[in-house]
Amino acid sequence: MHSIWAVARNTMAQAVRMKIAAAVIFLLLALLPMMSVITTGDGTLLGKLQSFSSYGISLVSFLLSILTISMACFTLSSDLHRRTLDLVVTKPIARCQIVLGKFLGVMVLNLILLAGFACIVYGLTMAMPSLTDSDPAQQAQAETEFFTARKSVSVQIEADAVAKRVEERIEKLKKEGQMPDQMSLSQIRQTLTQQEQVSEKSVELAAAKEWDFQNVFPPRDPNAVLFVRYKLLASPDPPNEEIFGQWRIGDFRQFKMGIQKFKTPVYAVEQSDSVRTIHEIKIPAAAVAEDGHVTVAFFNSPDYNVSTVIFEQMEVLYKVGSFGTNFFRVVLLIAVRLIFLAALGVSLSTWLSFPVAALCSLNVFFAGLVNGFFMEAIGSLGAFLGLVYQFTIRWMLHIIPRFDGPYSPTDYIVSGEVLPWLFLIRAALLTLGVQMLLLLAVGIWIFHRREIAKITV
Amino acid sequence: MESGVNQFAIETIDLKKVFSDWWGRARVKAVVDLNLKVRYNEIYGFLGPNGSGKTTTIKMLLNLLHPSGGHAFVLGGKSTDAAISRRIGYLPEESYLYRYLTARETLDFYGRIFGLPGSVRKNRIDTLLEMVGLSGMGSRQIGTYSKGMMRRIGLAQALINDPDLLILDEPTSGLDPMGTRQIKDLLVELCRRGKTILLSSHLLADVEDVCDRIGILYGGRMQIEGPVRELLQHRGQVQITAGELKLQTREKIEALLREDGSDYQISSPMDKLETFFVNTVARAQKTQPTSGAGAGTGIQGFLAVQPKSPQQEALDRLVSANVHTEKIKEDVQTEKSRTRQETPAAKKELLAKLTQMSFSAEDAKAVTTEKPTAVPAKPAAPIRKDLLEKLAGRDQEPNGQTEKTGDPGPGGSPDA
Ligand SMILES: Nc1ncnc2c1ncn2[C@@H]1O[C@H](COP(=O)(O)OP(=O)(O)O)[C@@H](O)[C@H]1O
Ligand SMILES: [Mg+2]
């Protein structure tokens, strides 16, 4: 252990004395305070907070990822290149201790930096409400929608139901002999599935749609609130870019029993919303039934609207924790990413030169950033091509950790959404406990067999 | 392994190294069937021209390169074994040190790898820095050091664990004459304390004074090997060394020799190992090609006839001034008597040389069986014995030392 720590200390000294970390540190120190002043968002306090925290966290996590990659790839390969390792390996230190020491050094330094910059972003965010002049309503909005940690519940699109409807439509087309000749069956199925998925999300003019949410358990507190968060599109585009919605939110099962016997209230909200923007409706949490059931209904009234409305996003949220601890978990999520990248860089540089190892690491990093997109794209590819990719790219994407979607740290903070401990732990176990250990094992194995003094030009 | 393994501090059995290119085609035969044997507690001079495979052999001993064939044993085992590498000190060909660390941090880093506790580390670092003459410069980054200074830190680094076996690859390259002298004195002193030293070099003057045995490598093959004295001694020839001779005296001697009917040659003595080295390499060149730098005939001639430059002579005089201190005399005596059976005549001559007495006629006739440059030079800054003592962690009186170092024979195993 003392050997590993000695190598780790040496690695940190290298990064500091060779000014590898300096560029990133100065950039962040200059950019973060400046951004806190110049970001405005949509003009409200909430918008300012959201855009600053979004840029701040993305910037910190991106720059530290790049720094981790370059440090991790540089340290071992420069030691090999400058032959300083020739001397180190003749000492009573195992090869794996050298690899682990390098990894530890890169990791510790970057985690220290992460902790420092996370504190800066946190401090600037917390100071923002008192430093900007905003009315109490805006302050309250920021408090309930940003300085919080909310759990989100959404309605799963019922894939089985969609598939069933698609098959019904295909049967019908076949019966009527209207199957298009120029399309293969799988292409037809794909097109119909897309159509059905859109129709699942859309509300025609003069029609209504209900979303049934299960397992919604806001705190049993008279002041507790429930948020309905949505984003809508309209086709054709409405003249003023707005849609007027008539909403009812509550436990609709009670309608059968007659209005006098209602245990929980049903709330009515009527408001006009701009399209292609995320909006939130705030109602008392009392609308949710005891068993965690709540229904949200939307009526597309022809009196006000002229378009079909398509819901891009629809979820309900309620507060489950504090902003501080959620921020902490988000930082841990970034830490998981940095630790993985440190292991990746060090492992690759046991057998690749610095530029090659750095390029490979960057590729993995960027692939991780678009991993979910790739997976979806491959899933919807045609039969043959899909099969080819299935056996090449797909398994590679599986061993690469995901940095997008639910693994992206910013979304949690921006939408005030809770990052559950369980999710964080599962992500850490998968990324660090499986993928990273595998990488390190391969790197150590290669390094163990390597001729250190072999000249490579 | 074989019973022989434990007899030697370093043993290679038919060691081979072939460097191949990317396609696996053999490019360079750097080491060919090398059987190197270094006994415990001796200084072994590993000689050879550039590219003869010295560094390659050393790297295979230390598992920096994997042998293409054969075996290499160090201290009776493999150097990958931590229990063995713990007892080795290695100074590479160039000082491959972290340029961004200070000298003190460098030594601290290696000390930590050896798991030395903090206080021991600090003491050793102070002692070593003082010993290699860099005590005032410990907090400077190594990148700012001159080559010779780096070399000194490299040596200090090799001694941080008080090793039983020192492997030094051209330790004196880049060092000034004083530094060279200091290192040589240090090596003798370490050997006296029971260490084993493998010293690779192509600088013959370095090796000549200190080595017990030498081997000359050429084209990856061992050309010749043996104790320095034996190799350099011409049998069936007698050399008479004398001071300035009067012309008549010289004529008289020549007349006597003519009368005797023997071949003779009168010249000033020259550096014998150098001649020997050049001849050995030349012989080898006739029979076998090399992968390293070829010593063209021009260079050979150059080496053979090159007279010493005035500066060099001045330096020689400088570093060999004050040879007659009592201290040195004692040291040399103990050192010599440990390994060699002295003939009384030789001993007398040695003593005479040490005290710079003029030779009497009888003394001058004594056969020189001593190492040619056995005159020990007083180092510019002598190795401080107390420093060495501290390093070795021994704090006994000077009397105890001679006993101790006289004890283990050349074949004895100090790790018993
Ligand atoms: N990594 C290597 N790849 C190819 N050839 C090498 C390598 N290292 C050494 N050699 C060759 O092996 C020979 C012996 O080199 P070396 O052991 O360094 O000689 P020296 O006796 O000067 O230390 C030289 O011809 C050298 O060019
Ligand atoms: Mg060499």
Side-chain angles (χ1 to χ4, degrees):
Chain A
M1 196 59 213
H2 56 84
S3 306
I4 296 181
W5 185 236
V7 174
R9 279 168 47 111
N10 188 353
T11 307
M12 287 188 266
Q14 179 184 44
V16 173
R17 305 244 171 109
M18 295 181 81
K19 321 271 188 302
I20 300 173
V24 168
I25 294 174
F26 282 121
L27 200 62
L28 283 177
L29 282 182
L31 281 182
L32 289 177
M34 195 181 80
M35 279 187 345
S36 76
V37 177
I38 61 168
T39 47
T40 51
D42 60 0
T44 62
L45 176 62
L46 178 69
K48 191 172 159 75
L49 283 167
Q50 283 175 337
S51 67
F52 169 69
S53 59
S54 154
Y55 284 128
I57 292 171
S58 327
L59 198 68
V60 168
S61 102
F62 183 77
L63 286 184
L64 287 185
S65 297
I66 300 291
L67 176 66
T68 305
I69 287 175
S70 43
M71 262 179 70
C73 295
F74 178 74
T75 178
L76 198 58
S77 51
S78 96
D79 273 19
L80 281 164
H81 185 73
R82 296 187 175 204
R83 331 233 65 198
T84 42
L85 267 188
D86 280 25
L87 201 46
V88 178
V89 295
T90 62
K91 310 293 178 201
I93 181 170
R95 298 275 170 97
C96 71
Q97 289 178 312
I98 296 177
V99 174
L100 290 177
K102 290 285 174 195
F103 162 64
L104 188 69
V106 175
M107 182 179 91
V108 168
L109 189 72
N110 279 285
L111 291 186
I112 292 173
L113 289 178
L114 176 64
F117 287 115
C119 286
I120 294 177
V121 172
Y122 185 76
L124 289 171
T125 310
M126 295 307 279
M128 206 163 266
S130 50
L131 292 181
T132 39
D133 40 272
S134 49
D135 53 56
Q138 284 190 11
Q139 304 258 2
Q141 186 192 26
E143 205 55 45
T144 49
E145 293 184 27
F146 184 82
F147 291 111
T148 178
R150 299 178 297 178
K151 184 173 165 53
S152 124
V153 179
S154 41
V155 182
Q156 300 298 315
I157 286 188
E158 282 159 25
D160 292 345
V162 168
K164 202 170 144 218
R165 277 205 300 275
V166 168
E167 292 311 317
E168 280 168 11
R169 281 179 64 182
I170 288 175
E171 283 306 310
K172 196 169 149 217
L173 283 175
K174 272 185 186 159
K175 238 182 251 162
E176 294 170 4
Q178 285 183 345
M179 289 287 277
D181 303 330
Q182 66 275 34
M183 284 169 83
S184 74
L185 185 64
S186 74
Q187 276 170 318
I188 293 171
R189 186 172 283 129
Q190 210 176 320
T191 317
L192 291 180
T193 308
Q194 276 166 6
Q195 280 178 10
E196 282 299 322
Q197 277 167 351
V198 171
S199 80
E200 183 84 352
K201 293 191 285 185
S202 54
V203 189
E204 311 268 322
L205 208 55
K209 180 163 175 58
E210 290 178 11
W211 292 267
D212 287 320
F213 294 93
Q214 313 291 343
N215 299 320
V216 181
F217 295 109
R220 289 278 148 223
D221 165 4
N223 296 325
V225 280
L226 185 75
F227 304 87
V228 178
R229 185 184 171 88
Y230 56 92
K231 179 171 158 187
L232 37 77
L233 308 177
S235 152
D237 252 358
N240 58 351
E241 299 277 302
E242 292 209 338
I243 292 289
F244 187 84
Q246 291 173 296
W247 302 81
R248 299 289 180 275
I249 302 157
D251 182 7
F252 289 9
R253 294 171 301 184
Q254 300 174 105
F255 285 123
K256 290 182 215 132
M257 309 185 292
I259 204 117
Q260 298 83 0
K261 290 189 182 167
F262 272 26
K263 277 198 206 143
T264 57
V266 173
Y267 293 92
V269 178
E270 315 217 320
Q271 67 181 43
S272 189
D273 295 316
S274 53
V275 296
R276 293 186 292 274
T277 320
I278 293 177
H279 297 280
E280 289 191 8
I281 296 172
K282 201 172 113 188
I283 52 157
V288 184
E290 198 116 300
D291 61 351
H293 181 100
V294 69
T295 303
V296 174
F298 171 86
F299 176 58
N300 189 0
S301 163
D303 299 345
Y304 306 97
N305 299 333
V306 292
S307 331
T308 302
V309 177
I310 302 149
F311 281 87
E312 272 278 288
Q313 194 183 336
M314 168 56 73
E315 56 194 327
V316 296
L317 303 123
Y318 53 93
K319 179 168 173 158
V320 289
S322 73
F323 176 73
T325 46
N326 203 35
F327 191 88
F328 178 65
R329 284 189 297 261
V330 164
V331 172
L332 287 184
L333 189 64
I334 300 177
V336 168
R337 178 186 293 195
L338 295 187
I339 295 171
F340 172 82
L341 291 176
L344 175 72
V346 171
S347 296
L348 288 181
S349 59
T350 55
W351 55 289
L352 295 174
S353 68
F354 171 68
V356 185
L359 274 178
C360 286
S361 303
L362 282 177
N363 275 342
V364 170
F365 177 51
F366 288 124
L369 286 178
V370 292
N371 202 326
F373 167 77
F374 264 139
M375 288 283 199
E376 259 173 43
I378 289 171
S380 63
L381 274 176
F384 176 68
L385 212 56
L387 216 62
V388 171
Y389 277 94
Q390 194 85 14
F391 286 104
T392 52
I393 308 280
R394 202 184 155 91
W395 69 263
M396 284 202 321
L397 289 176
H398 269 299
I399 58 170
I400 288 173
R402 287 186 61 181
F403 300 139
D404 60 344
Y407 299 87
S408 154
T410 44
D411 292 351
Y412 293 105
I413 293 299
V414 170
S415 55
E417 210 180 302
V418 71
L419 166 60
W421 275 114
L422 197 67
F423 178 82
L424 180 67
I425 290 167
R426 269 184 33 213
L429 281 181
L430 177 68
T431 309
L432 304 184
V434 180
Q435 287 159 328
M436 185 190 82
L437 285 187
L438 214 70
L439 258 177
L440 275 180
V442 172
I444 287 172
W445 183 75
I446 292 172
F447 195 64
H448 186 76
R449 297 171 44 97
R450 180 179 171 137
E451 275 184 301
I452 298 296
K454 180 140 191 141
I455 312 281
T456 43
V457 279
Chain B
M1 282 303 296
E2 299 106 305
S3 61
V5 165
N6 281 318
Q7 250 174 279
F8 299 100
I10 293 176
E11 182 175 26
T12 71
I13 300 164
D14 292 337
L15 194 64
K16 287 186 246 327
K17 183 68 192 181
V18 181
F19 287 109
S20 22
D21 61 9
W22 198 80
W23 305 102
R25 292 175 298 189
R27 278 292 178 221
V28 179
K29 285 185 178 171
V31 176
V32 186
D33 295 337
L34 183 68
N35 289 295
L36 179 68
K37 289 180 178 47
V38 178
R39 300 196 190 106
Y40 281 105
N41 198 16
E42 76 173 355
I43 305 185
Y44 188 96
F46 196 33
L47 308 183
N50 295 127
S52 53
K54 306 184 293 292
T55 302
T56 307
T57 308
I58 289 178
K59 285 182 172 169
M60 283 191 284
L61 288 176
L62 294 166
N63 194 41
L64 288 167
L65 288 173
H66 301 162
S68 314
H71 301 277
F73 298 101
V74 188
L75 295 172
K78 291 281 176 191
S79 64
T80 39
D81 183 352
I84 285 177
S85 59
R86 189 167 290 287
R87 295 165 55 205
I88 299 178
Y90 167 53
L91 173 65
E93 205 172 9
E94 280 165 41
S95 311
Y96 300 127
L97 300 166
Y98 291 98
R99 301 172 64 85
Y100 50 84
L101 293 182
T102 67
R104 198 166 271 283
E105 286 168 338
T106 304
L107 297 179
D108 190 63
F109 171 62
Y110 293 113
R112 274 172 195 272
I113 289 185
F114 279 104
L116 303 177
S119 57
V120 174
R121 228 162 42 222
K122 190 176 174 312
N123 280 340
R124 284 220 180 139
I125 290 170
D126 289 336
T127 317
L128 280 170
L129 282 177
E130 196 173 331
M131 196 171 89
V132 298
L134 293 175
S135 45
M137 286 160 265
S139 49
R140 268 173 57 186
Q141 290 189 343
I142 295 212
T144 67
Y145 276 16
S146 77
K147 187 175 178 207
M149 289 160 80
M150 285 193 200
R151 213 70 198 134
R152 286 159 189 255
I153 288 297
L155 188 71
Q157 159 282 130
L159 293 171
I160 188 95
N161 55 327
D162 186 22
D164 295 332
L165 171 64
L166 259 181
I167 298 180
L168 308 175
D169 200 350
E170 305 194 7
T172 54
S173 77
L175 276 185
D176 53 23
M178 268 82 84
T180 309
R181 187 70 247 170
Q182 278 175 332
I183 288 201
K184 288 199 269 185
D185 290 335
L186 176 72
L187 296 187
V188 171
E189 190 55 39
L190 287 170
C191 183
R192 250 165 56 86
R193 277 149 208 266
K195 316 284 189 198
T196 310
I197 298 165
L198 175 71
L199 174 73
S200 116
S201 190
H202 55 250
L203 299 176
L204 307 175
D206 293 357
V207 212
E208 203 168 3
D209 314 3
V210 294
C211 289
D212 298 311
R213 288 200 308 139
I214 56 166
I216 297 185
L217 202 64
Y218 180 80
R221 283 176 216 274
M222 188 62 86
Q223 302 298 338
I224 200 154
E225 194 182 23
V228 179
R229 265 193 333 154
E230 259 173 44
L231 290 180
L232 298 187
Q233 189 178 347
H234 290 232
R235 293 181 202 287
Q237 274 185 323
V238 171
Q239 186 181 5
I240 299 171
T241 316
E244 204 72 55
L245 284 183
K246 277 193 227 115
L247 195 61
Q248 297 114 294
T249 323
R250 189 168 159 163
E251 275 167 0
K252 265 189 227 162
I253 293 173
E254 283 187 54
L256 264 174
L257 287 171
R258 265 198 302 276
E259 224 170 81
D260 206 34
S262 57
D263 282 347
Y264 71 94
Q265 195 183 14
I266 297 182
S267 60
S268 305
M270 64 182 297
D271 221 341
K272 285 175 199 157
L273 178 55
E274 218 154 63
T275 329
F276 181 73
F277 176 83
V278 171
N279 288 343
T280 309
V281 172
R283 256 203 316 279
Q285 255 172 345
K286 276 184 208 136
T287 54
Q288 145 197 10
T290 175
S291 62
T297 46
I299 292 176
Q300 246 184 78
F302 181 74
L303 277 179
V305 301
Q306 168 91 349
K308 278 188 169 179
S309 71
Q311 295 106 306
Q312 222 170 338
E313 264 167 358
L315 280 172
D316 282 354
R317 249 180 282 128
L318 237 172
V319 294
S320 58
N322 296 330
V323 285
H324 52 286
T325 51
E326 292 298 304
K327 195 172 170 220
I328 292 289
K329 193 174 91 185
E330 273 170 24
D331 282 354
V332 170
Q333 269 187 312
T334 36
E335 200 256 320
K336 293 303 167 202
S337 56
R338 178 175 55 77
T339 45
R340 288 161 199 132
Q341 294 295 318
E342 303 288 341
T343 60
K347 208 163 196 172
K348 220 173 180 180
E349 189 207 21
L350 181 70
L351 274 169
K353 275 187 188 168
L354 278 170
T355 47
Q356 285 204 333
M357 292 193 302
S358 52
F359 287 60
S360 70
E362 273 175 18
D363 284 333
K365 275 180 210 153
V367 179
T368 314
T369 50
E370 199 36 69
K371 271 157 88 176
T373 48
V375 184
K378 164 126 178 119
I383 305 296
R384 298 230 338 243
K385 295 264 165 52
D386 52 328
L387 295 184
L388 269 174
E389 285 300 328
K390 269 201 233 166
L391 264 184
R394 279 172 283 199
D395 285 317
Q396 68 225 104
E397 285 97 281
N399 303 359
Q401 296 169 26
T402 8
E403 265 176 46
K404 182 134 196 165
T405 45
D407 219 329
S413 158
D415 62 336

